[in-house]
Amino acid sequence: MEWLSAENVVAVGTALLGIVASGVMVWYERRVPRRKRIGYRVQMDNPIGDDVRSGRANRRLGLFDEAPGMSDATLVLLRIENDGSQSIADNDYTGRELHGLTAVFTDRTIRGVSVTQPVGTDHLMDHFTPAAGLGYDGNTLRIPRVPLNPRDHFKLLVLLSGGDVGCPIRLIGGIRDGEVHPNRSATPDDKAPLFSRASRLITIMLTVCVVTLAAIVVLRDDSPPPIGCARGTLTVTGSTAFAPVAEEVATKYERDCEGAHVTVDPHGSTAGVRELEATGLAAKKGSPAVVALSDGPKPSDMPQLRENRIAMSVFAIVVNNGIPLKNLSTVDVRRLYRGQIRNWKQLGGPDLAVHLVSRDANSGTRQVFQRRVLKRGEIANSSVDCVHKDDPAAPVIRCELDSTDQVLTQIAELPGAIGYSELTLASGAKGLHTLDLDGHPPSVDAIEHGTSDYPYREIEYAYTYGQPPADSLASSFLTYLSRGNGQDVIRTHGHIPCWTPEGLKLCA
């Protein structure tokens, strides 16, 4: 369906992702940041002493060198902040003790504490008194119930001894309707990240979707459809030899022209032409939406049919690979199809009976063969299965099949078989090979360049009943086939387009 194009899917997906992301962010803003939160981070944990456990040797002067117990001393800077969106009062701390929070420095002993606060928050210092709970014992530091507005913070510079740099540091305590949690470790006075990890992820996803949508829009093929596209339905019938071309062109036309539906239903050139005439006679008025392809001109008793010369088609005589001959004269071909040659050894070939595998009377390929090579009709049919002779009086075994594919399959399987086919189909078949006629190979290039008198060739006609309206699907399709993109398809399948400089001469 058209609305399921890649750009539409990406656009809808981006919109849905944006809506979901917006909803998530609204929920996040209402639920998470609005909770009361105290975060803490260790901004510094450095050795003062020269204890080798720290992994970093130091040199000391003055008090650090003179005071006792400094050989394994460390300095820790602990930042405590209100990183939620609500203020925290002294009664929001849930502990039963006088103090509000407890910092535990694992495996180390506290030797001294200094409290600092940013400019403009001098009022916080009033809470850092022993009477308010400030104190330490061993590895435990008691922190008072300090009220903090959103983004307020204070820092504790703690002198410790014993233990290693990097030993775990924990802040213990509770906040009513909130939490105490560790933040990302940072250097002193680092600012908190502008975006959270969730925000960054959502931003990246939305950016990727938008860039993908932009790339699809920029790189997609916006070339306009062919001029003269028409909507509706059309049936293409007739030649089975030219059917591969018609099928591919129909597919391309439907892809390029929205609203067009072209059905290819080949039954043979003669059958297709007569079907077109019958449909036209039955129609009350106008030209029916039917195009008949024919290997050669229509019968003279159909004046209502209007011809369009599409291509020059080249055909070939084919034989089973058990027959090593590469060339036959037209005289010998005529003798074969009059039943005068019954065994291939009469032409210098193997001792094999001749089996003539022909097309039915509706075939344009057969009519071209009779008109261009035999100069007369073929002898009567004498076999149903192409193997056994049903008529004992017949000079050779001859059968008729409904399509080119059936003919090629039968010849490839039947020793001594000979028949005829459109050249491209014959060239791609296995178990058989084509024959030259009078030394002329069945070559499209040689015929197109005028260097060959190869006789087994014919103009491919497309017939309509009368002149279809200029804006009809039949008229548009014929233009597309003969003068538009269909020319490339015609050439790909081994035919010569009539509307090329070389084709105009051949199709004249």
Side-chain angles (χ1 to χ4, degrees):
M1 297 177 66
E2 190 65 26
W3 64 272
L4 281 177
S5 61
E7 58 266 30
N8 287 349
V9 171
V10 174
V12 172
T14 302
L16 291 176
L17 181 59
I19 293 172
V20 173
S22 300
V24 170
M25 295 308 296
V26 169
W27 175 86
Y28 183 83
E29 285 293 330
R30 289 183 176 274
R31 289 286 184 175
V32 179
R34 291 189 180 278
R35 297 178 63 191
K36 297 175 181 178
R37 298 177 7 139
I38 287 184
Y40 67 94
R41 65 180 85 172
V42 177
Q43 292 190 297
M44 181 178 70
D45 189 356
N46 289 339
I48 296 175
D50 55 6
D51 193 327
V52 295
R53 291 180 302 172
S54 70
R56 293 173 289 179
N58 285 271
R59 293 293 181 263
R60 303 181 301 278
L61 291 174
L63 180 63
F64 284 153
D65 190 39
E66 297 168 2
M70 288 292 104
S71 62
D72 58 356
T74 56
L75 273 176
V76 170
L77 183 62
L78 182 64
R79 174 186 171 118
I80 299 174
E81 58 193 345
N82 179 356
D83 58 359
S85 60
Q86 296 188 31
S87 298
I88 297 175
D90 55 2
N91 59 358
D92 285 327
Y93 293 89
T94 59
R96 293 182 177 274
E97 298 83 1
L98 178 63
H99 63 280
L101 302 172
T102 303
V104 178
F105 300 85
T106 306
D107 297 335
R108 287 188 269 190
T109 301
I110 299 174
R111 304 289 298 276
V113 179
S114 175
V115 181
T116 64
Q117 82 287 330
V119 177
T121 57
D122 293 341
H123 60 281
L124 295 181
M125 296 302 294
D126 296 338
H127 298 276
F128 291 99
T129 63
L134 178 65
Y136 62 85
D137 182 16
N139 67 349
T140 302
L141 171 63
R142 296 181 294 276
I143 303 171
R145 298 170 177 263
V146 182
L148 295 171
N149 292 323
R151 299 305 172 189
D152 278 355
H153 73 273
F154 59 87
K155 297 180 183 181
L156 301 171
L157 183 63
V158 185
L159 176 64
L160 304 119
S161 63
D164 296 338
V165 170
C167 285
I169 300 173
R170 295 179 297 119
L171 193 66
I172 302 172
I175 300 294
R176 184 181 298 109
D177 298 326
E179 62 178 350
V180 176
H181 67 100
N183 282 335
R184 179 180 64 89
S185 179
T187 56
D189 297 319
D190 259 3
K191 293 182 179 179
L194 182 61
F195 297 107
S196 67
R197 180 178 299 177
S199 298
R200 292 197 301 270
L201 179 61
I202 292 173
T203 301
I204 291 172
M205 291 176 63
L206 288 173
T207 302
V208 169
C209 289
V210 171
V211 171
T212 302
L213 178 60
I216 291 175
V217 171
V218 171
L219 298 178
R220 69 179 179 179
D221 183 11
D222 279 330
S223 56
I227 298 175
C229 276
R231 296 173 175 267
T233 59
L234 176 69
T235 299
V236 179
T237 186
S239 171
T240 58
F242 207 68
V245 174
E247 290 168 352
E248 185 172 343
V249 172
T251 300
K252 289 181 176 292
Y253 187 90
E254 289 179 341
R255 183 191 63 195
D256 292 341
C257 297
E258 182 181 359
H261 301 281
V262 182
T263 302
V264 179
D265 187 22
H267 298 296
S269 296
T270 300
V273 169
R274 296 198 178 279
E275 178 184 344
L276 172 62
E277 183 190 37
T279 304
L281 292 173
K284 294 182 179 180
K285 61 178 181 178
S287 177
V290 178
V291 172
L293 300 172
S294 176
D295 305 329
K298 63 178 177 64
S300 59
D301 61 344
M302 300 180 182
Q304 302 91 341
L305 302 192
R306 183 180 180 86
E307 73 176 33
N308 298 268
R309 301 190 179 199
I310 303 299
M312 173 64 72
S313 295
V314 181
F315 302 86
I317 297 174
V318 294
V319 294
N320 181 275
N321 276 342
I323 302 170
L325 301 178
K326 302 298 181 182
N327 176 72
L328 285 177
S329 67
T330 53
V331 173
D332 287 336
V333 173
R334 292 166 186 169
R335 292 173 61 203
L336 279 165
Y337 278 86
R338 285 198 295 264
Q340 295 174 351
I341 296 177
R342 303 183 181 188
N343 194 293
W344 285 104
K345 65 182 180 181
Q346 294 177 248
L347 295 175
D351 185 10
L352 288 172
V354 172
H355 293 256
L356 304 178
V357 182
S358 298
R359 287 290 309 280
D360 59 273
N362 289 322
S363 167
T365 305
R366 171 178 167 177
Q367 293 172 12
V368 175
F369 179 62
Q370 294 175 158
R371 184 168 58 252
R372 297 288 187 177
V373 181
L374 299 184
K375 304 296 184 181
R376 56 166 291 172
E378 297 186 44
I379 61 176
N381 187 25
S382 62
S383 175
V384 173
D385 60 6
C386 301
V387 178
H388 304 94
K389 187 185 296 186
D390 299 328
D391 181 5
V396 294
I397 294 176
R398 178 182 175 276
C399 63
E400 296 181 357
L401 299 177
D402 294 333
S403 70
T404 300
D405 288 338
Q406 292 177 357
V407 169
L408 295 175
T409 300
Q410 186 65 63
I411 293 174
E413 296 175 352
L414 182 61
I418 182 174
Y420 41 80
S421 164
E422 188 273 326
L423 176 59
T424 303
L425 296 176
S427 300
K430 297 181 179 180
L432 50 82
H433 60 274
T434 62
L435 295 177
D436 296 351
L437 282 176
D438 296 322
H440 297 292
S443 169
V444 173
D445 289 339
I447 293 173
E448 185 173 12
H449 292 92
T451 60
S452 174
D453 292 327
Y454 183 77
Y456 195 7
R457 54 181 171 173
E458 185 57 276
I459 298 172
E460 191 71 30
Y461 293 87
Y463 287 102
T464 58
Y465 190 87
Q467 179 64 47
D471 59 350
S472 67
L473 179 54
S475 179
S476 173
F477 180 79
L478 287 175
T479 302
Y480 187 93
L481 172 64
S482 61
R483 306 179 197 181
N485 294 343
Q487 285 192 1
D488 294 334
V489 180
I490 289 172
R491 190 172 292 280
T492 299
H493 285 268
H495 306 275
I496 305 169
C498 283
W499 286 88
T500 62
E502 299 81 4
L504 286 171
K505 298 176 182 178
L506 293 171
C507 298

